[in-house]
Amino acid sequence: MAEVETTREGAVLTITLNRPDVLNAFNAALHEGLAAALKEARGPDVRAVVVTGAGRGFCVGQDLTEFREAPRDIGSRLRDTYHPNVLALRTLEKPVIAAVNGVAAGAGMSFACACDLRIAADSASFVPAFINIGLIPDSGGSYFVTRILGPARAFEWLTSGRKLTAAEAHAWGLVSEVVETDGLTARAAEVAAQLAALPTRAIGMTKRLIDHALNATLERQLEREAELQAAATQTEDFREGVAAFLEKRPPEFGGR
Ligand code: T3D
């Protein structure tokens, strides 16, 4: 079985991390498989992506058995393996849903937080495990968690290393909804199908705008909006949206 599997249902690509015996911990093969899956997600017919884990875990970050021996240059390893996938995910101009089916720990928690939406099973949990082994948040963990939770809560959580239940994560705004474990796959597929039917290019540009807004002045953000709105008006979906409105019928967006 491949360490990462992809399946297609219509315009939705599901990426499954597949090392269930170790709760889908990252090793070299998983990084490579994820890179290939994220490349597949760039295909023009894919309009929404779901990332999930096989078995009872989502992803527990770095495979710690690789740390039995003194770790080599971790900085380079992060740059060569984790960073390209985090960047590929954030620059993917399509909605990405993390269907968090179980524990998300360390870089697995970071990766879930890099997604655009998180839907959690009621049995899922989130553990910023880095501090428990004397490390600091990486793979974007400090970046995404700070932006989602704000600096005070991010500091408290990332330095405590404590496990958040799915219900707590929902109360904190870390996940958008919590569903019964048995219903997670269906609910993630339903949300993904809804997103896949929307104007994909406008969603991609909205994602870019949101990322840009986090570090921009109002002037720069207004300019970016103007640039991307000019691009949005060139899409087929814009023409369809206006035509459907004027003809008083539901729009049929093709994602172009
Ligand atoms: O160079 C670099 O790559 C640096 C990058 C670092 C990024 C990081 O992600 S650092 C953080 C690494 N992750 C962790 O420290 C998490 C360690 N795991 C845990 O704390 C716990 O397993 C969990 C809280 C996540 C889950 O607990 P629980 O009780 O539900 O499950 P468990 O029994 O601990 O784990 C089940 C199995 O998965 C177990 O194997 P076994 O005993 O059944 O053979 C366990 O050893 C294995 N496992 C869990 N996490 C990892 C792991 N195996 C390898 N690496 C893991 N990270």
Side-chain angles (χ1 to χ4, degrees), residues 22-23 56 60-64 74 77 82 103 106-107 129-130 138:
V22 286
L23 308 179
R56 72 174 181 91
V60 290
Q62 172 60 34
D63 188 328
L64 293 179
I74 286 187
R77 199 154 88 171
Y82 287 90
V103 61
F130 307 95
D138 64 22

Side-chain angles (χ1 to χ4, degrees), residues 21-23 25-26 31 56 60-65 67 71 73-74 77-78 81-82 103 105-108 127 129-130 132-133 135 138-139 163:
D21 293 349
V22 286
L23 308 179
F26 281 110
H31 286 299
R56 72 174 181 91
V60 290
Q62 172 60 34
D63 188 328
L64 293 179
T65 61
F67 282 168
D73 182 358
I74 286 187
R77 199 154 88 171
L78 285 168
T81 56
Y82 287 90
V103 61
V127 189
F130 307 95
N132 301 336
I133 55 169
L135 292 183
D138 64 22
S139 316
K163 181 185 279 196

